[in-house]
Amino acid sequence: MNRRHCATAAITLVCALAVLTVPTQAFAAPAPPSPSHSPTAPAGPQRKSLEEVREEIDALYRKAGAATDAYNLAEEQAKKQSGEIVKLAQAIVAGQAKIADLKSRAGAQAREQYRTGGLPPGAQMMLSDDPRLFMDGVNRVWQGQQAAKGVLGELTRTQEDLEAYTKDASSNWKKLEANRLKQAKAKKRINGQIAAAKKLESQLEKKERARLLELEQEAEYKAQTAWLGSGALKEINREASAGGKKAVAFATAQIGKPYVWGAEGPGSYDCSGLTSQAWAAAGRPIPRTSQEQWRQLPHIAVKDMRPGDLIIYHGDASHVGMYIGDGAIVHAPRPGRNVTLAGAGSMEILGVVRPDR
């Protein structure tokens, strides 16, 4: 806990220093017109301020994050349907083999009746004058009738099951194709939004990109300070559960690894890939996406948070981080950034969920 506290304090100090040492020059401000320009010359398009560029880049990455959630959910559903199709295919093969065996048994019974002139051996024994043979014949006839009924009944049920399996397989195949289409559309949106954000960044000069990072840190520090000052978090050092400790240990061990959308490790992660794998390592599988984590896991009041809980961010639940105590989270921020520590209140909090409640 002391190490996490020191790390979090260091991050807060860096953010504070960034605010105190911000240069006053606005690198993205439009240059003043040259004296040689005519006063009546039409003004060119005004360049956006660096803060506007930061907000636009942030919005693009947030949209990419929401699309990533849609992609991950479609991928999970496609995996599930693929598994169901495989099981159904196996059931169909087994059903076909069973039908073939039942038909063979029914055919054997029919051939036996033909060889005995339409009377089974038990019926022939019933014609005997010997009482013992007569009773034995009665039993054999009854058993033969029951066996024939059993074969025919089982054959009918197996054929009905086979039809149901085939229908289910067809339905799951359609769902699989629909989810693959969703994946393709989400992937296209993600790549488009990330490319647009990278293009905006690439148009900045080196000193502007450095200033852009400072602006990001300023915004996070301001939000974190306001959140802590609001008293939203009453107790910052609650004890984690046994599972929570394991999840936190896993998540913090990934610090420094790059964000890659759709990634679940071990070399890279997206935001929900990190949290889902951390809790899987703790022995508690949870939904893959931040939106499903928000929808399915038990909700907890912010004031009751403990390490290991997941904080869901933004109104569309498109981002998630793991609370580690001391008012901090570990999370995979966005493309171009690595898994890192941040203030728990540095983004808009939607709510908190607890995987092991």
CSV table of all heavy atoms in Angstrom, one decimal, residues 12 220-230 345:
chain,number,residue,atom,x,y,z
A,12,THR,N,0.6,12.8,-8.8
A,12,THR,CA,-0.1,14.0,-8.4
A,12,THR,C,0.9,15.2,-8.4
A,12,THR,O,0.6,16.3,-8.9
A,12,THR,CB,-0.8,13.9,-7.0
A,12,THR,OG1,-1.7,12.7,-7.1
A,12,THR,CG2,-1.6,15.1,-6.7
A,220,GLU,N,-6.6,16.5,-16.1
A,220,GLU,CA,-6.7,15.3,-15.2
A,220,GLU,C,-6.5,15.8,-13.7
A,220,GLU,O,-7.3,15.4,-12.8
A,220,GLU,CB,-5.7,14.2,-15.5
A,220,GLU,CG,-6.0,13.5,-16.8
A,220,GLU,CD,-5.0,12.5,-17.2
A,220,GLU,OE1,-4.0,12.3,-16.4
A,220,GLU,OE2,-5.1,11.9,-18.2
A,221,TYR,N,-5.5,16.6,-13.5
A,221,TYR,CA,-5.2,17.1,-12.1
A,221,TYR,C,-6.4,18.0,-11.6
A,221,TYR,O,-6.8,17.8,-10.5
A,221,TYR,CB,-3.9,17.9,-12.2
A,221,TYR,CG,-3.6,18.5,-10.8
A,221,TYR,CD1,-3.0,17.7,-9.8
A,221,TYR,CD2,-3.7,19.9,-10.6
A,221,TYR,CE1,-2.7,18.3,-8.6
A,221,TYR,CE2,-3.4,20.4,-9.4
A,221,TYR,CZ,-2.9,19.6,-8.3
A,221,TYR,OH,-2.6,20.2,-7.1
A,222,LYS,N,-6.9,18.8,-12.5
A,222,LYS,CA,-8.0,19.7,-12.1
A,222,LYS,C,-9.2,18.9,-11.7
A,222,LYS,O,-9.9,19.1,-10.7
A,222,LYS,CB,-8.3,20.6,-13.2
A,222,LYS,CG,-9.4,21.6,-12.9
A,222,LYS,CD,-9.7,22.6,-14.1
A,222,LYS,CE,-10.8,23.6,-13.8
A,222,LYS,NZ,-11.1,24.5,-15.0
A,223,ALA,N,-9.5,17.9,-12.5
A,223,ALA,CA,-10.7,17.0,-12.2
A,223,ALA,C,-10.5,16.2,-11.0
A,223,ALA,O,-11.4,16.1,-10.1
A,223,ALA,CB,-10.9,16.1,-13.4
A,224,GLN,N,-9.3,15.7,-10.8
A,224,GLN,CA,-9.0,14.9,-9.6
A,224,GLN,C,-9.1,15.7,-8.3
A,224,GLN,O,-9.6,15.3,-7.3
A,224,GLN,CB,-7.6,14.3,-9.7
A,224,GLN,CG,-7.1,13.5,-8.5
A,224,GLN,CD,-7.7,12.2,-8.2
A,224,GLN,OE1,-8.7,11.8,-8.9
A,224,GLN,NE2,-7.2,11.4,-7.2
A,225,THR,N,-8.5,16.9,-8.4
A,225,THR,CA,-8.5,17.8,-7.2
A,225,THR,C,-10.0,18.2,-6.8
A,225,THR,O,-10.3,18.2,-5.7
A,225,THR,CB,-7.7,19.1,-7.5
A,225,THR,OG1,-6.4,18.7,-7.9
A,225,THR,CG2,-7.7,20.0,-6.3
A,226,ALA,N,-10.8,18.5,-7.9
A,226,ALA,CA,-12.2,18.8,-7.6
A,226,ALA,C,-12.9,17.7,-7.0
A,226,ALA,O,-13.7,17.8,-6.1
A,226,ALA,CB,-12.8,19.3,-8.9
A,227,TRP,N,-12.6,16.5,-7.5
A,227,TRP,CA,-13.3,15.3,-7.0
A,227,TRP,C,-13.0,15.0,-5.6
A,227,TRP,O,-13.9,14.7,-4.7
A,227,TRP,CB,-13.0,14.1,-7.9
A,227,TRP,CG,-13.6,12.8,-7.5
A,227,TRP,CD1,-14.9,12.5,-7.6
A,227,TRP,CD2,-12.9,11.6,-7.0
A,227,TRP,NE1,-15.1,11.2,-7.1
A,227,TRP,CE2,-13.9,10.6,-6.8
A,227,TRP,CE3,-11.6,11.3,-6.7
A,227,TRP,CZ2,-13.6,9.4,-6.3
A,227,TRP,CZ3,-11.3,10.0,-6.2
A,227,TRP,CH2,-12.3,9.1,-6.0
A,228,LEU,N,-11.7,15.0,-5.3
A,228,LEU,CA,-11.3,14.8,-3.9
A,228,LEU,C,-11.8,15.9,-3.0
A,228,LEU,O,-12.2,15.6,-1.8
A,228,LEU,CB,-9.8,14.7,-3.8
A,228,LEU,CG,-9.1,13.5,-4.4
A,228,LEU,CD1,-7.6,13.6,-4.4
A,228,LEU,CD2,-9.5,12.2,-3.7
A,229,GLY,N,-11.8,17.1,-3.4
A,229,GLY,CA,-12.3,18.2,-2.6
A,229,GLY,C,-13.8,18.2,-2.4
A,229,GLY,O,-14.3,18.8,-1.4
A,230,SER,N,-14.5,17.5,-3.2
A,230,SER,CA,-16.0,17.4,-3.1
A,230,SER,C,-16.4,16.5,-1.9
A,230,SER,O,-17.5,16.5,-1.5
A,230,SER,CB,-16.6,16.9,-4.4
A,230,SER,OG,-16.3,15.5,-4.5
A,345,GLY,N,-10.6,10.2,-9.9
A,345,GLY,CA,-11.6,11.3,-10.3
A,345,GLY,C,-11.1,12.1,-11.5
A,345,GLY,O,-11.7,13.2,-11.7
